[in-house]
Amino acid sequence: MKKIELLAPAGNLEKAKIALMYGADAVFVGGKTFSLRARASNFERDDLSELVSFAHQRGKKVYVTTNIIPHDEDFLALGDYLRFLENIGVDAIIVSSLALAELAKKQAPNLAIHISTQTSTYNSIALKYWKKKGASRVVLARELSLDELKEMVPKTDLELEVFIHGGMCAGFSGRCVLSNHMTMRDANRGGCAHSCRWNYFLYQKSELLPGFFNFGSKDLMAVPFIEDFIRMGIASLKIEGRMKSIYYLATVVRAYRALIDSYYEKGKIAEADMQEAATEIAKAENRQTSVGFLQGLPTVNEQLYDNRAETPTKEFVGMVLDYNPETQMALIEQRNYFSVGDEVEFFGPFKKTVTFSVPPFVDFETQEELTVARHPLQKIRMAVPIPLEPYDMMRLVKTNRNYESKNEKTDD
Amino acid sequence: MKLIVELQDIKQIKPYQAVAGWLIGVESLSSQGSAFFPIAKIPEIIARAKEYNQFVAINAGRIFNDSELKKAEKILAKLKKWNIRYYFYTDLGFYELAKARKLPLVYQAATYLTNSPDVNAFLDENESVVVAPEISKDELVTITKNAKKDVMVEAFGRLSIFYSKRKLMTNYFQYRAWGNDPKGSDYSIVEEKRSEHYPIEENESGTLIYSSHFYYLWEEIWELSHVSHLLIRTKWLDPALFDEVVSVYDAYLATKAGDIKTLGIDLFQGALYRQSLLTKVR
């Protein structure tokens, strides 16, 4: 049986590399144009080339989103762009437009075509349509339940991709133009203003009903269902979120990687492993999560009311740039405030999380001894008796505020 | 250039100069529509329309899961016996089923048909398509002129701007522990910093939100004379105004006389003369 793919989002080159290093089998990214996340920093052509080399050297794949709903003007530069993607060895493009898919077949025939979830492919007969159009994979509508998915998989030889984590559209993807109407931002060309997550007043005739009406969706979290997806023959498990931070990506990718590996190692995923994955994800997740449609039509429990945000339980405070195993000295780049005595966790790809108390450290540039790291991207040298590697991350578990306040005036 | 009008009530069928046919919402096939008629009512509607040399088109605009599609297949088997001029659809699974039965199809993907290549790609496999309304007038003219076959455009009505499978009203009322009827047709939402009312409706297909005003084409129509049909959507239109709206378009197409703006309806022209943005302007 072909091993299921873990597919991660990446808004820029750094995020893509982190996602691949933390266990993604493939990443999906957008170029500067033709992609549905206009606000993500997205990739210049040079970055795309570098990413493809980086991924292929590690036996991994890169898919490029070209899933805007194009207007006539967008087609002017598309042929050249598609040929570029083919030339650098991109593994597939993700498309919503039939015309764009047909253009790709003519202009860049070696590019595999994945049909975007924007097409709302919601039944097995629609899969036949996309098969005839030359697609190799369909990213299914997020409205499908596990039971519906189980029935669909045997009916096609197309690869099927499902979302397992991240933001959910409240409506059928691609069918919503709330953003166009409320802000003139074109939802289907990367400008979605997320109008479904705003506060609304609800009227019945002319009577204003009390409180805010909300209809946004909680984020999807499919930790309990990974084994089901593998067993039913889904080809790829997709994490959403090209706007998310490297910390979020590392945490979420690593958690799902562990679950998938656990299945292939033991033939099942233990409850404890699922619990551990959910706990890990909560350390980086800043929105409420639910099972979406996986257990049937969403109920009140899958909706986001009163727009309550949740803060991650753990804060990303540093990334390891280098580690000398002989001297046990780590070079760490500060990403958020931390101080001596703070309890932190180090975690990295394919390794267990280790808890550690921050010892006195020095500024790498000035060699000044410090008790607090205040400055973003400040480089810190610190003795850490735990084997570390570049791109391992450090997150805050418990702050040592007493130490910080006692020593506030002596530092910096 | 003729009109296809969304029917609210069978009594509204009567002779008009420019009305070529009626678009009929059908239970288990439609997601949006002024009325969802039971299948058993269709022969009567066809007979009535035929009296005035008008046709009937079926709105099958739902997005179907496998079990819903099986039900749709049974309905198609019944409909195939009757003289249906067009089937308007959006789901490509429905396309596969209907194509196998050689049914005359109109792809009404609303948000998707925003460019000439896609319009022509879908015209290759359909009798016609409905061009998306969220584009500029210049785009509308260009796309319809570039079309290799007859195309249709939205000319009047509240646009469906959001379609969800979720039971959003049911869930919300449950959250509030209110006993309101989630399927009521008199709800609207207003964003907290804005003032426009957007009608919202839950039905058997899910939840839909419609534009705050009635979209309309008027003088622009004469730049679209190569279009085969203009669509008049009557969802949320007061039945008392139905005949006035249809008549004013009917007369305008026949004589260029009249003015839709005199009817006192909240009108807007969407993106026709406004450049849409890709990102927030800071």
Side-chain angles (χ1 to χ4, degrees):
Chain A
M1 184 167 65
K2 193 174 173 186
K3 197 169 179 181
I4 204 164
E5 175 185 86
L6 180 60
L7 174 57
N12 61 35
L13 186 58
E14 182 191 32
K15 291 177 184 178
K17 288 181 174 177
I18 290 285
L20 292 170
M21 284 189 287
Y22 272 76
D25 300 302
V27 287
F28 66 99
V29 302
K32 287 288 180 190
T33 46
F34 314 121
S35 163
L36 268 185
R37 289 290 177 272
R39 285 177 297 148
S41 45
N42 287 331
F43 285 69
E44 299 284 0
R45 288 190 175 201
D46 287 349
D47 288 347
L48 277 175
S49 299
E50 183 179 337
L51 174 60
V52 171
S53 300
F54 180 88
H56 287 181
Q57 283 164 12
R58 289 159 180 77
K60 302 189 177 204
K61 293 181 176 175
V62 176
Y63 308 139
V64 175
T65 55
T66 52
N67 56 345
I68 58 165
I69 308 293
H71 288 225
D72 278 358
E73 69 213 32
D74 296 317
F75 281 88
L76 297 174
L78 258 171
D80 174 64
Y81 183 60
L82 294 170
R83 286 191 296 276
F84 162 74
L85 296 179
E86 183 185 48
N87 286 339
I88 63 170
V90 162
D91 296 281
I93 54 169
I94 304 168
V95 304
S96 303
S97 154
L98 173 60
L100 201 157
E102 293 188 337
L103 181 71
K105 279 196 296 178
K106 287 181 193 150
Q107 302 268 341
N110 295 317
L111 276 178
I113 292 170
H114 294 180
I115 301 301
S116 170
T117 194
Q118 296 297 108
T119 62
S120 312
T121 305
Y122 186 46
N123 56 67
S124 54
I125 302 180
L127 295 173
K128 293 179 184 171
Y129 179 89
W130 290 120
K131 169 88 176 168
K132 284 189 270 189
K133 298 296 176 191
S136 60
R137 176 184 294 189
V138 173
V139 188
L140 294 169
R142 279 172 272 201
E143 283 76 9
L144 285 158
S145 70
L146 273 183
D147 289 342
E148 288 167 334
L149 286 166
K150 274 178 198 161
E151 289 195 13
M152 280 177 87
V153 176
K155 294 177 181 169
T156 182
D157 57 356
L158 284 172
E159 291 182 344
L160 299 181
E161 181 177 307
V162 297
F163 281 87
I164 55 167
H165 200 92
M168 299 269 284
C169 290
F172 281 107
S173 298
R175 311 280 172 163
C176 172
V177 282
L178 287 176
S179 176
N180 301 50
H181 280 257
M182 292 183 177
T183 68
M184 285 306 289
R185 286 166 56 180
D186 191 338
N188 290 322
R189 286 201 289 175
C192 177
H194 302 292
S195 306
C196 62
R197 294 184 189 153
W198 296 350
N199 285 326
Y200 292 84
F201 298 115
L202 178 63
Y203 284 81
Q204 184 166 25
K205 293 186 177 163
S206 57
E207 182 194 354
L208 172 63
L209 303 181
F212 281 129
F213 174 77
N214 302 112
F215 58 99
S217 166
K218 289 181 183 174
D219 279 15
L220 175 65
M221 184 175 75
V223 162
F225 310 111
I226 299 305
E227 186 172 325
D228 295 283
F229 290 133
I230 297 173
R231 287 184 182 276
M232 72 173 77
I234 294 293
S236 182
L237 302 176
K238 184 175 212 159
I239 296 165
E240 182 275 346
R242 278 187 280 150
M243 306 285 285
K244 299 285 192 181
S245 68
I246 56 169
Y247 170 56
Y248 174 93
L249 280 176
T251 305
V252 174
V253 167
R254 177 173 171 265
Y256 282 104
R257 177 81 269 156
L259 289 179
I260 293 168
D261 289 349
S262 172
Y263 175 83
Y264 286 105
E265 196 179 308
K266 302 170 193 165
K268 65 193 241 358
I269 300 174
E271 191 64 40
D273 292 340
M274 286 189 262
Q275 188 54 53
E276 188 179 339
T279 303
E280 281 294 302
I281 288 169
K283 292 173 182 175
E285 184 63 70
N286 63 357
R287 289 211 293 250
Q288 297 175 72
T289 58
S290 80
V291 299
F293 282 75
L294 291 172
Q295 292 184 317
L297 267 186
T299 66
V300 66
N301 298 320
E302 281 74 44
Q303 297 300 137
L304 194 58
Y305 294 118
D306 294 330
N307 284 342
R308 274 197 304 119
E310 291 184 347
T311 48
T313 58
K314 303 289 178 287
E315 186 180 16
F316 176 37
V317 292
M319 185 155 79
V320 176
L321 299 180
D322 196 14
Y323 183 78
N324 186 329
E326 290 176 10
T327 62
Q328 297 192 326
M329 294 300 288
L331 179 62
I332 294 168
E333 188 173 77
Q334 193 262 31
R335 294 301 179 104
N336 270 301
Y337 186 103
F338 64 90
S339 64
V340 170
D342 282 351
E343 192 178 322
V344 296
E345 288 177 344
F346 282 103
F347 71 101
F350 307 101
K351 65 171 65 162
K352 287 280 179 192
T353 302
V354 183
T355 306
F356 176 73
S357 180
V358 174
F361 48 83
V362 298
D363 182 292
F364 179 71
E365 304 290 341
T366 64
Q367 298 301 309
E368 183 187 0
E369 287 191 17
L370 301 175
T371 55
V372 294
R374 299 184 192 281
H375 307 296
L377 304 183
Q378 181 179 17
K379 292 183 176 57
I380 301 294
R381 215 155 59 87
M382 181 192 299
V384 184
I386 304 160
L388 297 175
E389 291 174 75
Y391 298 104
D392 283 357
M393 294 188 186
M394 184 170 110
R395 64 187 167 209
L396 188 64
V397 177
K398 191 175 168 191
T399 188
N400 181 20
R401 293 290 175 201
N402 290 337
Y403 189 97
E404 179 192 327
S405 56
K406 272 192 294 185
N407 294 275
E408 186 67 24
K409 291 176 184 167
T410 62
D411 291 325
D412 227 10
Chain B
M1 191 162 40
K2 293 284 188 182
L3 298 172
I4 297 177
V5 182
E6 198 173 64
L7 193 67
Q8 295 176 328
D9 187 310
I10 191 168
K11 292 177 190 151
Q12 291 165 334
I13 296 177
K14 65 176 210 177
Y16 290 98
Q17 295 179 77
V19 174
W22 303 98
L23 184 59
I24 311 297
V26 178
E27 288 172 357
S28 302
L29 290 184
S30 309
S31 60
Q32 55 169 307
S34 296
F36 293 172
F37 293 91
I39 292 298
K41 198 81 176 166
I42 303 296
E44 186 185 342
I45 296 172
I46 293 172
R48 185 82 182 259
K50 197 178 171 186
E51 286 178 34
Y52 309 116
N53 204 26
Q54 296 159 344
F55 62 71
V56 164
I58 296 293
N59 179 354
R62 190 177 290 200
I63 299 175
F64 302 91
N65 62 22
D66 273 355
S67 63
E68 290 166 337
L69 209 48
K70 274 182 194 159
K71 197 170 176 185
E73 196 170 8
K74 288 179 186 165
I75 296 171
L76 282 185
K78 285 184 189 167
L79 290 173
K80 193 172 179 349
K81 297 173 193 161
W82 303 324
N83 186 17
I84 306 292
R85 178 64 189 92
Y86 295 118
Y87 291 81
F88 285 62
Y89 77 98
T90 194
D91 187 301
L92 295 169
F94 181 90
Y95 165 81
E96 288 288 314
L97 290 181
K99 193 74 179 172
R101 287 160 180 76
K102 298 185 169 48
L103 300 177
L105 293 170
V106 178
Y107 186 51
Q108 57 155 9
T111 57
Y112 292 152
L113 294 180
T114 54
N115 62 76
S116 303
D118 270 311
V119 163
N120 281 325
F122 281 100
L123 281 175
D124 282 339
E125 43 201 31
N126 292 277
E127 281 214 18
S128 187
V129 302
V130 181
V131 178
E134 279 86 16
I135 58 177
S136 72
K137 191 260 291 179
D138 290 344
E139 287 176 309
L140 195 54
V141 171
T142 303
I143 291 168
T144 51
K145 278 188 174 164
N146 286 342
K148 57 172 77 166
K149 285 201 297 199
D150 287 346
V151 294
M152 306 183 184
V153 299
E154 304 281 356
F156 177 87
R158 292 216 194 240
L159 303 172
S160 168
I161 61 174
F162 172 88
Y163 174 22
S164 175
K165 188 74 180 167
R166 296 165 187 261
K167 304 287 186 192
L168 292 173
M169 306 303 284
T170 297
N171 289 345
Y172 179 71
F173 292 141
Q174 189 182 338
Y175 168 72
R176 291 287 183 203
W178 295 343
N180 299 49
D181 174 15
K183 298 219 167 20
S185 60
D186 47 8
Y187 297 110
S188 63
I189 57 172
V190 177
E191 198 273 326
E192 63 174 325
K193 296 187 175 80
R194 292 170 170 78
S195 56
E196 298 86 5
H197 283 248
Y198 294 82
I200 183 168
E201 175 194 56
E202 181 179 306
N203 61 34
E204 60 167 9
S205 77
T207 308
L208 295 106
I209 299 173
Y210 292 80
S211 59
S212 57
H213 297 74
F214 286 83
Y215 176 79
Y216 78 105
L217 299 179
W218 197 247
E219 292 88 353
E220 300 78 16
I221 286 173
W222 306 115
E223 292 184 66
L224 298 166
S225 54
H226 46 284
V227 163
S228 68
H229 294 94
L230 302 176
L231 301 178
I232 307 288
R233 305 278 184 179
T234 60
K235 177 73 180 174
W236 305 109
L237 180 68
D238 184 341
L241 285 171
F242 180 96
D243 184 57
E244 289 191 61
V245 168
V246 178
S247 294
V248 78
Y249 272 96
D250 194 58
Y252 191 55
L253 287 187
T255 65
K256 291 196 180 181
D259 190 349
I260 182 72
K261 293 187 278 296
T262 62
L263 297 186
I265 296 168
D266 286 336
L267 299 170
F268 86 128
Q269 293 208 296
L272 279 185
Y273 299 103
R274 296 170 70 195
Q275 182 70 40
S276 68
L277 307 168
L278 299 190
T279 54
K280 187 175 181 179
V281 176
R282 294 180 190 281

